[in-house]
Amino acid sequence: MTVRLVLASASPARLSTLRAAGVEPVVHVSGVDESVVAAADAAGLATELARLKGEAVLAELAGTAHAGNFVLVGCDSVLDLDGTLCGKPGTDAAVVERWRAMRGRSGVLVTGHHVVAVRGGRVDRLTRAASTVVHFADVTDAEIDAYVATGEPQQVAGAFTIDGFGAAFVTGVEGDPHNVVGLSVPLLRTMLAELGVRWTDLWRPTP
């Protein structure tokens, strides 16, 4: 039996990750204002944002065509660089400042996951965080400027990717690489199992 999955995120990387894993989600963006949320640590911030996004979409889906039995996933990622919490930099200047601070160092990319299983009127929830250590190359100022010009790092957590232009600037990771992209597939599988949903039931039907 195939289970529908709703992804409460506009992230193309999260969508691509799920599709590569055999899942074709319905994308429903929450519109939550991330700037109003504060927390003492990366895990607290990432999980609270994931929860808010997931619950906002859950409320919006009530009474729509997507109501009924489904699984909903909300995610958010934050980079912890020696205690400094780094979300999306937003501007070119912020990217330059961020990369000058990160180069040659390591940080921890934390992704919060909020999973909701809706079945027969029953709603079950779990919220967890996954952490992956990321090692950054000692990039030059010219490389940083070139990366800024791509337009990629301005709108991604930590101002980098490992599945795009930023891949060459990450020398290694310790932990789940999917988590750095924005969604830990192994953690999601475990959370779904705890909610009584088999991961393989999310796979799209084979021809």
Side-chain angles (χ1 to χ4, degrees):
M1 177 184 69
T2 302
V3 176
R4 290 184 300 134
L5 185 142
V6 177
L7 177 62
S9 171
S11 166
R14 292 189 180 108
L15 178 59
S16 295
T17 297
L18 286 169
R19 282 176 169 168
V23 180
E24 186 61 44
V26 175
V27 175
H28 193 111
V29 183
S30 70
V32 167
D33 183 0
E34 299 181 20
S35 66
V36 301
V37 180
D41 55 35
L45 180 59
T47 52
E48 179 60 10
L49 284 169
R51 187 190 68 79
L52 288 173
K53 290 178 179 181
E55 291 299 320
V57 169
L58 184 64
E60 292 171 7
L61 289 179
T64 71
H66 295 305
N69 297 330
F70 62 92
V71 171
L72 184 148
V73 180
C75 295
D76 199 86
S77 300
V78 179
L79 177 70
D80 183 341
L81 188 68
D82 292 336
T84 299
L85 306 187
C86 309
K88 302 179 182 72
T91 67
D92 292 358
V95 173
V96 172
E97 181 181 4
R98 183 79 52 78
W99 264 99
R100 287 179 176 174
M102 295 192 314
R103 58 185 172 189
R105 299 170 62 188
S106 301
V108 180
L109 196 288
V110 181
T111 298
H113 301 68
H114 183 66
V115 180
V116 184
V118 179
R119 292 157 297 184
R122 175 176 171 174
V123 180
D124 297 302
R125 299 170 170 86
L126 277 179
T127 307
R128 300 261 173 84
S131 300
T132 304
V133 177
V134 183
H135 302 290
F136 300 107
D138 190 8
V139 295
T140 65
D141 287 349
E143 286 175 316
I144 293 173
D145 291 342
Y147 192 29
V148 169
T150 69
E152 178 183 87
Q154 289 85 339
Q155 298 302 320
V156 291
F160 76 97
T161 67
I162 62 168
D163 59 339
F165 288 102
F169 301 150
V170 175
T171 60
V173 300
E174 298 173 40
D176 177 18
H178 296 104
N179 187 57
V180 183
V181 178
L183 190 153
S184 174
V185 178
L187 175 60
L188 179 56
R189 171 187 166 274
T190 299
M191 293 174 72
L192 288 169
E194 291 186 35
L195 293 173
V197 178
R198 296 187 303 179
W199 171 255
T200 53
D201 286 342
L202 270 64
W203 287 346
R204 55 180 172 264
T206 55

